[in-house]
Amino acid sequence: MHAVPSTNETTTGEAPARKLRGDWTPINYDLRDTWFPVSHSRDLCARPIRRIIHAQPYYLWRENGLPIAAEFHPQRSKGEALHLSEFTGGSGFYPVVERYGYIWAWYGNPDAADPLQLPHIPFLPEDGNIPGYTQRTVRFDATSALSVENLIDLTHADFLHANTIGDGISESDVVEVEWTSETVTRTRTVAQKSVAPIMRWVGGVRAKYQDFRAVLHIHLRSNVCISYPRFRPGYDVPNLQPFLPVGKHRSRCDVTFNTTAAPAPFRYVMPRINYIIQPQDNSVVRPQNQRYFEADERLDMHSRFDKPGTRYRYQMEQLAERQAAGQFAYGSDAEPGRDISGLLGMND
Amino acid sequence: MTTPGWWAMALCEAVNDKTPLAVAFAGEELVLFRNAEGQAFALEDRCPHRRVPLALGRVVAAGLQCGYHGWTFDGASGRCTQIPNLRTNEPVPPRYAARAFPVSEGNGFVHVWLGEGVPDIDLPTDDYRPVGQQFTGSTIVNMSHEQYLAAMLDGPECLLNFAHVRMTDFFLGDVRKEHGRLVLERGAVWTTQILPSNFVVDYPLIVRTEVPVQGGSIRVDLLSEDETPLISLAIASGANRRGTTSLCWRGFVHAEVPAKAPLRWRTARVWHKAPFTVNSLIDGSAVAALLEAPSRDLHAARPPRLIPVSAVV
């Protein structure tokens, strides 16, 4: 039995106009006016920590329990003339919100910051009250867009991570892609796939095969990837993987796997799976990164299994073009904060 | 500008049917491997799907399988023959291919044809005819290829050593062009000699270095005073990334033993000790101190840049 291709595409976006495609150069994308989850809430205390979004410095700390995000270090910069940027409107302080166990900082025009544009993450408590074992930090040796592309890419998981996630052999395998001007959503529905090794050996799932439905919802500006895989027999493993663009060559991912509903020891082990998967991914994305610095005359070749990825590339290009033209407002089809419980399949 | 030619890129024994070998020569990043029958192949080290180095993959029956998504490429044509999860009756488009390069093995080296045109029959290492035990190796040195070739003429003692031999910088004549190489000889003495080499009437040894006008095949010989070959080396060289140079070499000791050879040289020979060393670490101060002399002819004779533009299969 072999996987079945993604033949049933659902298209909620408008049909794109035909035009000559150039090469994909994700390293140069610097998308603005969005909320980035820059840190797990639990990592923030009175002592300032440093984060970087593209090339912009973010210093984060708490005052009276409330998060502060600034483009200067509160202690080191005393008495110095500060060079404040347009990202803080000259105030030195970024708009900041704490939600879902993360500190969200605004990147872009501070006047456009609106908490209503925060992504909706239905499987995380708004107050961030979630056990520490669900949260981990991993680093990817590639620009954030390549890291997201790696996540949306299906066949590499079957091949590169087969020993962890399982191979690509199944009775049927249907991939659907939906998109708006600000998001791409990939849904994969697999019937009778070999049970993922981690679920077999740690999760106690003794069946030989399992069905699963995995929804990945990507916010293009912020690289926030909201994933909801459901395994039957097995468990739901909802997770948030936000790829923070730390310059053109690296990305940071403060991950949350909400495995609180799964049995032990699976609930403790699963959030740590990235420590196995991430080196495997880094072994390929690291050398890949330098080959996307500049447009190549030879465009990438795609199989039909790459449709989610090619759609992601196209939507990113469209968004980058709009921003390059000075259009930073969210399109009428984009509601970053809309309830996505149904989209993720949580209500089924 | 394209200068087609064969480049020796690896020792034959370094290329196998288990683990692909990444090499970088003349600005090209390639991957070498063999099929089960032992035939050697060269592909660009770049998967056309997502640009991941193919050297991270593995050799399978159908060719070289990329380690990222499992696309498999035929070694001879470069064509993608398999994409995992495709139905068995679903063909891969013919244009889906990695760049493939002609390969020829000979004289212990795997040669790859870079540039356009029809590959020559002659290989740049054809004059390397070993007898007996060979001494081999490979490395990457922290020096640009053009500078490496220049230093091979101006001061080979910075780049390699013959055991118990001290090279001098007294050139025996000027650079001459022979068989596509610039050839230069210099005097050498045994290290056991008590008097400094300045006092030698006639040098007991000669070091002959031959640097290619095209490509990267270097030849070095240690000769007796009557020009009988004692030790011969073939060094394959080529530009690697970031101003470094890839090297691989083979060398052997000839049957002749010069009458004045010191005992320690004869003993080392009996015990099959390595008769030469190709330096992996190069003394920058020694290279910087080299005066530009014979290499002036190299700059004039050698094309400034060799850029292969496409694969020829």
Side-chain angles (χ1 to χ4, degrees):
Chain A
M1 286 179 286
H2 295 279
V4 171
S6 53
T7 49
N8 303 334
E9 280 195 13
T10 306
T11 58
T12 56
E14 291 179 9
R18 279 272 178 205
K19 69 168 190 173
L20 196 62
R21 294 284 296 275
D23 193 22
W24 160 247
T25 51
I27 285 167
N28 301 317
Y29 291 159
D30 180 353
L31 302 175
R32 300 184 179 200
D33 282 13
T34 186
W35 293 101
F36 278 103
V38 287
S39 166
H40 285 126
S41 289
R42 68 187 179 120
D43 293 335
L44 200 62
C45 59
R47 183 168 163 268
I49 59 173
R50 182 176 176 234
R51 294 286 186 270
I52 299 165
I53 300 179
H54 294 295
Q56 189 66 16
Y58 281 69
Y59 291 96
L60 310 164
W61 69 95
R62 287 189 190 276
E63 276 182 18
N64 303 318
L66 295 175
I68 308 286
E71 55 182 325
F72 57 87
H73 191 287
Q75 279 107 46
R76 285 208 300 271
S77 57
K78 279 177 182 166
E80 292 178 13
L82 297 174
H83 302 284
L84 304 176
S85 72
E86 58 181 339
F87 287 91
T88 59
S91 71
F93 294 95
Y94 300 101
V96 64
V97 172
E98 186 166 14
R99 193 175 293 177
Y100 303 125
Y102 286 86
I103 306 299
W104 300 76
W106 182 258
Y107 179 77
N109 176 6
D111 295 335
D114 182 352
L116 290 175
Q117 289 167 342
L118 278 166
H120 178 235
I121 306 168
F123 52 80
L124 292 181
E126 281 201 22
D127 63 1
N129 186 16
I130 190 165
Y133 67 78
T134 62
Q135 297 179 330
R136 287 291 173 270
T137 297
V138 290
R139 292 176 177 81
F140 282 79
D141 296 345
T143 191
S144 53
L146 280 179
S147 302
V148 172
E149 191 180 47
N150 171 273
L151 189 65
I152 199 174
D153 176 356
L154 295 165
T155 52
H156 98 276
D158 296 338
F159 192 78
L160 192 65
H161 308 309
N163 60 350
T164 318
I165 296 173
D167 54 38
I169 300 170
S170 64
E171 208 169 84
S172 75
D173 189 342
V174 178
V175 177
E176 300 163 282
V177 188
E178 301 175 41
W179 62 90
T180 70
S181 59
E182 296 287 341
T183 61
V184 170
T185 307
R186 183 213 70 201
T187 303
R188 185 183 193 188
T189 309
V190 185
Q192 295 297 289
K193 178 182 168 70
S194 306
V195 169
I198 189 171
M199 243 177 226
R200 175 184 296 277
W201 303 117
V202 185
V205 178
R206 296 296 173 227
K208 194 172 181 184
Y209 301 103
Q210 65 186 167
D211 297 338
F212 89 85
R213 180 174 187 270
V215 182
L216 178 66
H217 184 63
I218 299 168
H219 289 266
L220 301 175
R221 294 195 195 207
S222 59
N223 314 305
V224 168
C225 298
I226 304 165
S227 175
Y228 201 97
R230 169 169 286 176
F231 297 84
R232 292 294 183 272
Y235 321 105
D236 294 355
V237 192
N239 60 86
L240 179 69
Q241 303 200 44
F243 292 92
L244 194 68
V246 186
K248 294 175 187 286
H249 314 283
R250 297 289 184 267
S251 48
R252 173 194 173 97
C253 198
D254 289 308
V255 184
T256 301
F257 275 80
N258 190 349
T259 50
T260 50
F266 180 80
R267 79 165 72 124
Y268 303 110
V269 174
M270 189 65 201
R272 291 166 171 81
I273 195 173
N274 271 335
Y275 293 135
I276 297 171
I277 288 180
Q278 177 228 357
Q280 294 171 342
D281 282 329
N282 273 346
S283 72
V284 290
V285 299
R286 186 184 174 93
Q288 191 188 23
N289 198 63
Q290 65 169 356
R291 292 178 168 172
Y292 287 91
F293 286 164
E294 290 160 359
D296 196 311
E297 288 178 1
R298 295 177 295 165
L299 304 183
D300 287 352
M301 294 166 178
H302 309 292
S303 77
R304 55 189 168 79
F305 306 107
D306 297 321
K307 282 181 180 173
T310 52
R311 171 52 58 185
Y312 170 70
R313 288 183 176 194
Y314 186 78
Q315 293 305 110
M316 285 290 279
E317 287 167 0
Q318 297 295 298
L319 186 51
E321 278 181 23
R322 284 205 308 276
Q323 293 213 350
Q327 299 170 25
F328 293 96
Y330 285 78
S332 57
D333 65 338
E335 291 178 73
R338 75 183 169 110
D339 188 333
I340 58 168
S341 308
L343 183 69
L344 296 180
M346 293 175 66
N347 306 331
D348 299 344
Chain B
M1 181 175 58
T2 302
T3 306
W6 287 113
W7 289 75
M9 294 196 181
L11 304 175
C12 287
E13 59 268 32
V15 181
N16 61 54
D17 62 353
K18 303 284 188 301
T19 310
L21 177 70
V23 293
F25 274 78
E28 286 282 359
E29 295 178 27
L30 305 181
V31 56
L32 309 178
F33 65 101
R34 293 183 190 279
N35 62 12
E37 289 71 45
Q39 188 180 356
F41 301 104
L43 298 177
E44 184 184 11
D45 198 8
R46 176 189 187 276
C47 179
H49 180 215
R50 290 294 178 266
R51 306 182 196 183
V52 168
L54 288 171
L56 297 174
R58 59 184 184 142
V59 183
V60 296
L64 184 57
Q65 187 175 49
C66 178
Y68 197 2
H69 296 87
W71 286 29
T72 302
F73 300 91
D74 174 63
S77 65
R79 272 197 59 181
C80 179
T81 53
Q82 288 177 5
I83 295 176
N85 296 350
L86 279 186
R87 287 187 297 266
T88 50
N89 62 349
E90 194 173 0
V92 179
R95 68 184 181 84
Y96 279 32
R99 290 172 67 200
F101 296 79
V103 172
S104 179
E105 285 194 77
N107 317 307
F109 290 94
V110 175
H111 302 79
V112 179
W113 180 262
L114 296 183
E116 295 175 326
V118 180
D120 297 335
I121 296 171
D122 299 332
L123 297 174
T125 56
D126 277 346
D127 58 356
Y128 177 72
R129 304 280 180 194
V131 289
Q133 183 185 3
Q134 293 188 75
F135 300 87
T136 63
S138 62
T139 192
I140 297 170
V141 292
N142 188 13
M143 193 173 185
S144 76
H145 187 223
E146 293 307 312
Q147 286 299 327
Y148 191 87
L149 295 179
M152 191 58 80
L153 290 175
D154 291 338
E157 68 276 11
C158 299
L159 310 180
L160 55 89
N161 301 292
F162 289 106
H164 314 299
V165 173
R166 183 182 303 122
M167 292 184 227
T168 76
D169 61 357
F170 192 86
F171 310 120
L172 303 175
D174 282 335
V175 168
R176 60 185 188 276
K177 191 173 178 182
E178 290 179 2
H179 310 297
R181 289 200 186 106
L182 296 186
V183 182
L184 181 70
E185 291 168 346
R186 67 187 60 231
V189 296
W190 298 109
T191 54
T192 51
Q193 179 177 294
I194 297 171
L195 288 172
S197 60
N198 316 26
F199 295 92
V200 170
V201 177
D202 286 303
Y203 291 113
L205 298 166
I206 298 166
V207 174
R208 179 187 290 159
T209 51
E210 303 180 31
V211 172
V213 174
Q214 290 183 12
S217 182
I218 300 166
R219 167 99 184 198
V220 182
D221 289 281
L222 179 69
L223 311 171
S224 68
E225 58 189 328
D226 60 358
E227 299 185 46
T228 303
L230 304 177
I231 299 170
S232 293
L233 283 94
I235 305 174
S237 66
N240 202 316
R241 291 183 293 270
R242 292 180 174 267
T244 61
T245 298
S246 301
L247 301 175
C248 60
W249 62 86
R250 314 189 78 90
F252 66 98
V253 182
H254 290 264
E256 290 75 11
V257 178
K260 296 176 185 170
L263 179 62
R264 66 179 62 176
W265 193 81
R266 294 167 188 266
T267 307
R269 185 185 159 90
V270 169
W271 287 98
H272 301 290
K273 290 195 173 178
F276 61 85
T277 307
V278 177
N279 296 343
S280 292
L281 296 175
I282 294 174
D283 181 353
S285 59
V287 172
L290 288 176
L291 299 178
E292 191 181 13
S295 66
R296 293 175 63 88
D297 296 277
L298 181 69
H299 299 322
R302 193 173 167 84
R305 188 88 193 269
L306 302 175
I307 307 173
V309 295
S310 65
V312 181
V313 176

